[in-house]
Amino acid sequence: MKFENKVVVITGAGGGIGTAIAKKFTDEGAKAALIDIKEEFAQKTVEKLGLNAENAFCIGADISTEDAVKQTVKAIKDHYGRIDVLVNAAGIPGPSARTEDYTFEDVKKVYGVNVFGTFLMMQNVLPVMQEQKSGSIINFGSVSGMFGYPYEIGYGSSKAAVIFMTKNAANENGGNGVRVNSVSPGWVDTNMMKAVWESYADVGIENSLDNVTMGPLNRPAKPEEIANAVAFLASEEASFVNGSNFLVDGGMTLG
């Protein structure tokens, strides 16, 4: 198995994509540290996938808080002794609103999780990987971070920041055995997608599909399809991939 005895840290592990990523890696022999805002959310992933204390370690932590991240990474290092892969899958969409109607509080909340949470996890995991002289970090961008879609100035700009933080870190670490890449999905069939579609009513869109582009495949991704891309980037098969933003959108952005 590709990830036999590797330690994989997954944030947002209780969500649809996080659960699929946990399944992919543990099916391939990995030991998973599952992080979510509440430990019970991560524990539900353990129960759903039939994992046990040997191959899963659940932690409840607010990754937008520096002390919580420091304590979390220390706990994982103490528990497993190493960290081979970090997947920063945690993210929140924020509201659907025009720029002038988007509150500063909402922007700070979105950035707290999507940008600062990703930064803090990288900041604290990188020294562990640097000491090992090996490791792979996969961050979550989005097509929203590549194009200026309406009604999502908080989310879209936060994902643009993640994509370029990825490139910064990749440039700094490529020579020491640590690779850093990002995945940018389009629509993915999760509860978050449904919540975003419902929120279009807040900007006067009666039929949410009027504001949705699927692309030539004409469907959203399955969470498992995103997990496959993440696992590839984490694997030795992607040993020469560093600083890449891997677009996984079914052709949605082709125009």
Side-chain angles (χ1 to χ4, degrees):
M1 292 189 282
K2 289 180 184 177
F3 297 99
E4 187 75 38
N5 294 321
K6 298 288 187 182
V7 176
V8 179
V9 177
I10 304 165
T11 68
I17 293 175
T19 299
I21 292 169
K23 183 178 191 308
K24 180 68 177 181
F25 279 103
T26 54
D27 282 353
E28 292 284 356
K31 298 175 181 178
L34 306 177
I35 305 170
D36 214 305
I37 186 71
K38 292 184 179 179
E39 185 177 337
E40 64 192 72
F41 296 161
Q43 191 61 45
K44 285 181 180 178
T45 296
V46 168
E47 294 166 3
K48 182 176 180 179
L49 301 182
L51 304 178
N52 54 49
E54 191 171 322
N55 60 2
F57 178 46
C58 294
I59 301 175
D62 179 356
I63 61 165
S64 69
T65 304
E66 186 173 14
D67 286 345
V69 172
K70 288 183 181 298
Q71 293 169 17
T72 295
V73 173
K74 182 181 186 303
I76 295 167
K77 179 77 184 304
D78 290 346
H79 186 80
Y80 283 127
R82 60 184 297 112
I83 297 173
D84 297 291
V85 179
L86 167 63
V87 183
N88 281 311
I92 60 173
S96 292
R98 290 179 59 90
T99 302
E100 64 270 24
D101 298 324
Y102 214 103
T103 71
F104 186 38
E105 288 304 313
D106 281 330
V107 170
K108 287 191 288 185
K109 189 174 181 179
V110 170
Y111 269 62
V113 177
N114 298 358
V115 180
F116 304 145
T118 297
F119 165 75
L120 287 168
M121 288 300 300
M122 285 201 295
Q123 181 198 46
N124 286 275
V125 168
L126 275 167
V128 179
M129 293 181 169
Q130 289 162 351
E131 185 179 359
Q132 296 166 180
K133 294 183 169 54
S134 67
S136 178
I137 296 175
I138 297 94
N139 295 324
F140 264 74
S142 169
V143 297
S144 295
M146 301 168 64
F147 300 88
Y149 297 119
Y151 315 125
E152 52 177 48
I153 190 167
Y155 182 76
S157 63
S158 76
K159 290 303 184 177
V162 169
I163 290 168
F164 278 87
M165 284 198 305
T166 298
K167 294 180 183 296
N168 292 139
N171 212 343
E172 294 168 357
N173 289 278
N176 60 20
V178 181
R179 296 182 297 108
V180 188
N181 295 287
S182 58
V183 169
S184 283
W187 291 112
V188 185
D189 189 8
T190 62
N191 289 333
M192 180 170 154
M193 180 190 80
K194 296 177 180 67
V196 170
W197 287 10
E198 289 173 1
S199 74
Y200 289 154
D202 297 335
V203 289
I205 298 173
E206 294 182 12
N207 181 1
S208 61
L209 292 179
D210 290 342
N211 198 50
V212 171
T213 301
M214 287 293 179
L217 295 188
N218 200 33
R219 65 172 177 84
K222 300 173 185 175
E224 294 77 15
E225 292 174 309
I226 306 303
N228 288 340
V230 170
F232 166 71
L233 289 173
S235 74
E236 283 303 309
E237 293 171 350
S239 58
F240 202 62
V241 182
N242 185 49
S244 172
N245 180 44
F246 197 10
L247 186 60
V248 190
D249 71 342
M252 169 186 170
T253 55
L254 289 174

